[in-house]
Each structure stands twice: as C-alpha cells, then as structure tokens.
Amino acid sequence: MASLYTGTTPAVVTNAKGLHLITSSTPNGNEVQIPLEELKDIYGLE
C-alpha cells in the first residue's frame, strides 16, 4: 500500500491519531470541516 505522506510531511501530521481532514480554506473545504467540528464537540472527541 502506498503511503499518503511524503518526506516533507510534518511529524505532527504523520504521527497523529484519529480522523484528520486535510483541505484548503475554500468554501468546499469548509463545507466538510464545519460538520466535523460540530460532531467533535457533540461526542467530546479530539
């Protein structure tokens, strides 16, 4: 399986646990980010 990370990917990203959204600050990126943040608050997740 190919890695999603390259040699320039920061360690904070490659060592992170859980679900992480990597997107641009565009309307489409925010469309996904906002509901995920609300679910995080509802379920008390990091």
Side-chain angles (χ1 to χ4, degrees):
M1 183 171 154
S3 175
L4 297 174
Y5 307 116
T6 66
T8 60
T9 304
V12 69
V13 174
T14 58
N15 298 329
K17 303 289 184 226
L19 176 68
H20 295 271
L21 174 67
I22 300 173
T23 185
S24 301
S25 285
T26 62
N28 288 335
N30 291 336
E31 190 172 322
V32 175
Q33 181 180 356
I34 292 168
L36 286 176
E37 288 180 358
E38 291 177 1
L39 287 170
K40 176 189 77 164
D41 292 339
I42 290 169
Y43 289 102
L45 303 173
E46 292 183 27

